[in-house]
Amino acid sequence: MAAFTTVEGIAAPLPAANIDTDVIMPKQFLKGIDRSGLDRGLLHDLRFDDGGLPRSDFILNQPAWNAASFLVVGDNFGCGSSREHAVWGLMQYGVRALIGTSYAGIFFDNCARNGLLAITLPPAEVATLLARVAQADSNRLTIDLAQQTITAADLAIHFDIDPLRKQALLLGLDAVGQTLALRDDILAFQERHFETSPWLR
């Protein structure tokens, strides 16, 4: 996974509550045998009309937000089915972090396992960010994971994160990578175990 340390970029507001994984990644984009093309599927029915043309009124199709690195999202983002493709599509599009009040549990875990930072904040702070990033002249934020801060010229917000998730994101380690980081300890345990139980060799 790509490590997340300090990222500066455009944030786009997506304030609707209960945006589910079928909206984030519609089912027709789940048919491939690899992960290619999921950036096209991301929020497809919101981004494109029935003829496949971009909807000019959708935030990510507007010039000031079409290269968003962050999404400030509504309550219960990522509810619905547990499709991991939703997270893959967000990341292929270039989204590095989500900021919201709450996420569906499986979606939140999928974010952590794939290197997408999902930040949880109180409603008042999310409302402040939504109002701010809805303006083209104030839609850039900096997220410093080590310091656990979201900042802009006149803004500083602290966020909490599980220490293990933080460490994995800072180092760019998925579950396999986290296990391999303990390789020497695992091998030492294995050798001690074989010494006390030689018949297992």
Side-chain angles (χ1 to χ4, degrees):
M1 301 190 310
F4 191 112
T5 52
T6 300
V7 179
E8 189 270 341
I10 294 168
L14 204 63
N18 303 312
I19 292 180
D20 66 28
T21 52
D22 191 48
V23 173
I24 300 169
M25 185 59 58
K27 58 186 177 300
Q28 65 266 33
F29 293 95
L30 310 182
K31 299 176 181 177
I33 59 172
D34 59 25
R35 302 183 189 182
S36 63
L38 295 178
D39 53 340
R40 171 74 179 179
L42 177 68
L43 299 167
H44 184 272
D45 295 344
L46 298 177
R47 290 167 59 205
F48 303 101
D49 64 21
D50 291 342
L53 297 176
R55 298 180 188 272
S56 61
D57 59 343
F58 185 62
I59 192 72
L60 292 180
N61 292 334
Q62 297 174 20
W65 293 275
N66 65 8
S69 299
F70 315 127
L71 297 180
V72 184
V73 298
D75 299 342
N76 198 32
F77 189 79
C79 56
S81 67
S82 60
R83 61 190 70 173
E84 201 166 8
H85 298 68
V87 174
W88 297 338
L90 285 160
M91 297 184 71
Q92 281 187 22
Y93 185 85
V95 175
R96 298 298 311 279
L98 305 170
I99 305 167
T101 60
S102 59
Y103 307 90
I106 294 175
F107 176 83
F108 187 73
D109 288 342
N110 283 339
C111 288
R113 290 191 178 97
N114 288 280
L116 180 61
L117 175 60
I119 296 171
T120 304
L121 292 176
E125 291 183 338
V126 172
T128 295
L129 287 172
L130 282 168
R132 180 187 184 90
V133 304
Q135 305 302 315
D137 60 354
S138 60
N139 68 355
R140 299 191 73 87
L141 302 173
T142 299
I143 298 178
D144 184 330
L145 179 55
Q147 298 301 315
Q148 296 176 213
T149 57
I150 302 168
T151 58
D154 58 346
L155 176 77
I157 295 174
H158 177 83
F159 62 89
D160 294 324
I161 183 171
D162 176 82
L164 293 178
R165 290 181 189 240
K166 176 181 178 179
Q167 185 72 358
L169 286 162
L170 284 170
L171 297 177
L173 296 177
D174 60 12
V176 173
Q178 292 176 66
T179 301
L180 290 177
L182 301 172
R183 182 178 184 275
D184 291 345
D185 291 337
I186 293 169
L187 291 175
F189 169 83
Q190 176 181 281
E191 192 58 35
R192 291 194 305 272
H193 188 59
F194 284 147
E195 286 175 0
T196 58
S197 307
W199 59 88
L200 294 176
R201 284 188 184 273

